[in-house]
Amino acid sequence: MSHPHNRPFLILETGQPVASMRRHRGFPHWIRVAAGLEADDAVVVNVQAGETLPTRDGFAGTIITGSAAMVTERHDWSERSAAWLRDAAQAGMPLFGICYGHQLLAHALGGEVGDNPAGREMGTIDLELHPHAGQDPLFAGLPERFPAQATHLQTVLRVPEGATVLARSSQDHVHAFRWGDRAWGVQFHPEFSATHMRGYVNARRDALSREGRCPKGVARGVSATPQARHVLRRFVRHARGLAHHASRAHD
């Protein structure tokens, strides 16, 4: 077994960015850069393309990407991934789901996912932390309100039994949750830069206009979201700390 600090993170790739943003590469690259991981620190498995899910051994943790797919479509690859995540969560593997990954993790653990009653949430939004987020390993010490990037139509309507909701926005009551002490889902995109977010707003400008939103106004409202990125980096540090502690216990 490799040294715990050398164990790579598994990134489950569940989809591709909008076509106009693919020149910036895919979600796994964006996540790796935002998380401060070197190329050797991540193993990417494209589950949407049918790649086989690996065994859990040897990974520090798993990060699940966003996707244009819908969890409610129950694609074979998605349901297989959900079963894998349920087993991984129950085995105590550190998990971090982003957007689709957040919803997939909630679904895997018995929660409910569906269309957001408040409609599309898009742009740089204000997150509001619940008081108990102050004791969470990823959110402790962050401001009570801070900006984050978001783009989604579906949401976690009901969290899994035993899960703790950590953050909300004006349009989504479950922007972050923790299940047990090693699995997190975040509806927002901590890996998105302002450039990524503006690209998404531009790609969805027709849909925003149809929904009565001003795309230029949404784009003007995009800003940097350093605290949201901090949550992702904290997950990496926390997972590595758990791996190090486990290896010490086995020495």
Side-chain angles (χ1 to χ4, degrees), residues 110-132:
E112 184 185 351
V113 174
D115 292 344
N116 188 346
R120 185 189 307 273
E121 185 175 47
M122 184 159 226
T124 305
I125 55 133
D126 280 326
L127 280 187
E128 182 181 349
L129 296 185
H130 290 295
H132 44 252

Side-chain angles (χ1 to χ4, degrees), residues 68-93:
M70 302 287 183
V71 169
T72 53
E73 292 168 335
R74 303 282 194 272
H75 294 293
D76 285 348
W77 61 264
S78 185
E79 292 294 282
R80 278 198 303 275
S81 301
W84 189 95
L85 289 168
R86 182 171 56 250
D87 290 346
Q90 290 170 347
M93 185 185 211

Side-chain angles (χ1 to χ4, degrees), residues 53-158:
L53 286 149
T55 62
R56 295 189 298 272
D57 299 341
F59 292 108
T62 297
I63 301 169
I64 313 100
T65 74
S67 178
M70 302 287 183
V71 169
T72 53
E73 292 168 335
R74 303 282 194 272
H75 294 293
D76 285 348
W77 61 264
S78 185
E79 292 294 282
R80 278 198 303 275
S81 301
W84 189 95
L85 289 168
R86 182 171 56 250
D87 290 346
Q90 290 170 347
M93 185 185 211
L95 302 173
F96 189 85
I98 297 171
C99 197
Y100 187 91
H102 155 81
Q103 296 168 15
L104 186 63
L105 187 58
H107 166 61
L109 294 169
E112 184 185 351
V113 174
D115 292 344
N116 188 346
R120 185 189 307 273
E121 185 175 47
M122 184 159 226
T124 305
I125 55 133
D126 280 326
L127 280 187
E128 182 181 349
L129 296 185
H130 290 295
H132 44 252
Q135 283 76 53
D136 184 82
L138 307 193
F139 288 89
L142 290 176
E144 189 178 303
R145 299 179 83 94
F146 62 86
Q149 316 293 12
T151 172
H152 64 112
L153 285 165
Q154 293 204 321
T155 185
V156 175
L157 298 170
R158 179 176 52 78

Side-chain angles (χ1 to χ4, degrees), residues 116-201:
N116 188 346
R120 185 189 307 273
E121 185 175 47
M122 184 159 226
T124 305
I125 55 133
D126 280 326
L127 280 187
E128 182 181 349
L129 296 185
H130 290 295
H132 44 252
Q135 283 76 53
D136 184 82
L138 307 193
F139 288 89
L142 290 176
E144 189 178 303
R145 299 179 83 94
F146 62 86
Q149 316 293 12
T151 172
H152 64 112
L153 285 165
Q154 293 204 321
T155 185
V156 175
L157 298 170
R158 179 176 52 78
V159 293
E161 189 175 341
T164 301
V165 179
L166 300 166
R168 58 169 294 160
S169 71
S170 61
Q171 265 186 268
D172 195 314
H173 297 302
V174 186
H175 244 285
F177 74 88
R178 185 186 69 248
W179 183 89
D181 60 0
R182 297 188 179 191
W184 285 265
V186 297
Q187 182 60 66
F188 60 93
H189 280 274
E191 83 281 19
F192 271 29
S193 67
T195 298
H196 296 138
M197 191 70 254
R198 286 193 195 97
Y200 260 76
V201 172

Side-chain angles (χ1 to χ4, degrees), residues 1 7 33 60 80 82 92 110 134 197 226 230 244 249:
M1 177 63 76
R7 287 184 199 166
V33 170
R80 278 198 303 275
M197 191 70 254
H230 199 54
H244 182 66

